[in-house]
Amino acid sequence: MKPFMDKDFLLSTDTAKELYHNFASQVPILDYHCHINPQEIAQDRKFDNITQVWLGGDHYKWRQMRSNGVDEYYITGDAPDREKFQKWAETLEKAIGNPLFHWSHLELQRFFGYYGVLNGDTAEEVWNLCNAKLQEDSMSVRNLIRQSNVTLLCTTDDPIDDLRWHKVIKEDESFDVQVLPAWRPDKAMNLEKPEYLDYLSKLAAVSGVEIKTFADLKETIVKRMEYFDSMGCCVSDHGIDYVMYAPASDEEVEQIFADRLSGKEISKEAAAKFKTAFMLFVASKYEEFGWVMQLHYGCKRDNNKSMYAKLGPDTGYDCISNYAPGDQLADFLNAVNEAKNLPKTILYSLNPGDDELIGTILGCFQNSDAIGKIQQGSAWWFNDNKTGMMKQMTSLANLGLLGNFIGMLTDSRSFLSYPRHEYFRRIMCELIGGWVENGEYPKDMKNLEKIVKGISYNNAVRYFGFDLETK
């Protein structure tokens, strides 16, 4: 029997161990999509206790605590942090087979030097150990990032954000990790939302453009993109329910926008036409600015309406959508391509059943503009577990070129989440190592090193064009 989560955790063959220890573990981390708060980096926050850094905002853990019958008082309520930690520890001991069990123990090992097992009985010991460690200067936010060997990370930022904390970080020569904004314009597109008009007022205020028409909105978007670009942004991201393609004339889109400004209710068909026009426009601008476009779709959000009313979005009440918009996705990419405006694009579906669909669609739009210009993103959210990662990479290998894959991202709000990259790299080396051991690929270590380091780090550096020589 293998020891619990030792140095060869998830590595079952000699080749897998060699690939991980000699190659994958040796390269830094590039986190091109996360939800980390740049203010906490700028101010180099230190956390008072492990609950603050582990459970605050982590809806992955919140879902499992609810599954264990834990009262909301101990999850998002006002319970003391020690009691919240106890409830999480008691939940974790039942999480056999869940990636949270592995992530939590990797974080305890890597940041706190704890190689035991967290459960209800050991919670007090772990609580005291972690909290004592968190008082050390080495456990400030910036030092957690440094310890994780991160060279660059991209946060997630709305067009109305002033990016002042990014400016503070950029001008601070004592911190050599690049922290760049990433453009997330969902609120500017979602005109069916009840808060849309209030949002437009804020967008108009920061841009200095009065928004009376869709043309005005496009002018505003360009102004904000220019500002983001000046702050080093080169990555966009869209969180959409599904990829729609409902083309409409300029006049029709302007009328839909005018109807929304006047307070009229917008039909689903009209909203789809507007969003299509919005996406076609921003995609063209991404190509013009040299930005990468990320599309995250396939999520049905905020399903528990009573809890949404109490807690708001991103609190653990989302699920996978079974709608696979293959035709719409292909038609959208084709429309952008026909206009000579297709930027580098990364496609993520929350539905693992879409892996093969994405794998075949992206192959339709590859060209010599870039190596792996259209990418399938890493197994996302509910899929960033051993099974999901294996499935995504196997599908990508079957239908495309796994060697050009740009690898893992944290998609996290936690500064302790970087061992997820280790988890991914171990699984990737186990997969590739298995193929080698089975005689399906030669044991050419020179080429395997290139593949493994590429997927772990180098491919993303090349793909995004980040300058990692200067801050």
Side-chain angles (χ1 to χ4, degrees), residues 66 152 210 431:
R66 292 173 187 134
L152 183 149
E210 189 175 6
L431 180 65

Side-chain angles (χ1 to χ4, degrees), residues 285-302:
K285 291 301 173 183
Y286 298 153
E287 173 66 9
E288 184 178 318
F289 278 82
W291 289 9
V292 173
M293 176 170 68
Q294 296 181 94
L295 302 178
H296 285 86
Y297 68 91
C299 179
K300 188 175 184 300
R301 299 176 185 271
D302 308 320

Side-chain angles (χ1 to χ4, degrees), residues 9-37:
F9 172 56
L10 296 176
L11 307 172
S12 65
T13 66
D14 289 341
T15 301
K17 295 171 187 176
E18 190 173 355
L19 294 177
Y20 176 74
H21 293 299
N22 292 348
F23 305 142
S25 68
Q26 301 302 310
V27 291
I29 288 172
L30 192 156
D31 194 13
Y32 54 87
H33 175 67
C34 73
H35 297 276
I36 282 174
N37 186 345

Side-chain angles (χ1 to χ4, degrees), residues 85-104:
F85 182 76
Q86 183 69 34
K87 295 297 185 182
W88 168 241
E90 292 170 0
T91 298
L92 192 63
E93 65 186 72
K94 298 180 181 179
I96 184 170
N98 192 294
L100 284 168
F101 187 88
H102 295 144
W103 296 349
S104 296

Side-chain angles (χ1 to χ4, degrees), residues 354-365 376 395-396 399-400:
D354 290 355
D355 283 345
E356 287 76 15
L357 181 151
I358 290 175
T360 57
I361 288 176
L362 63 87
C364 298
F365 299 98
Q376 181 183 11
S395 174
L396 182 57
L399 298 168

Side-chain angles (χ1 to χ4, degrees), residues 247-262:
S249 67
D250 293 345
E251 292 77 16
E252 188 175 2
V253 175
E254 284 288 4
Q255 186 59 55
I256 293 168
F257 192 70
D259 288 345
R260 183 64 183 92
L261 291 184
S262 69

Side-chain angles (χ1 to χ4, degrees), residues 14-15 18 436-437 441-446 448:
D14 289 341
T15 301
E18 190 173 355
V436 173
E437 294 266 345
Y441 194 88
K443 193 168 184 179
D444 177 349
M445 298 311 291
K446 181 178 179 180
L448 288 167

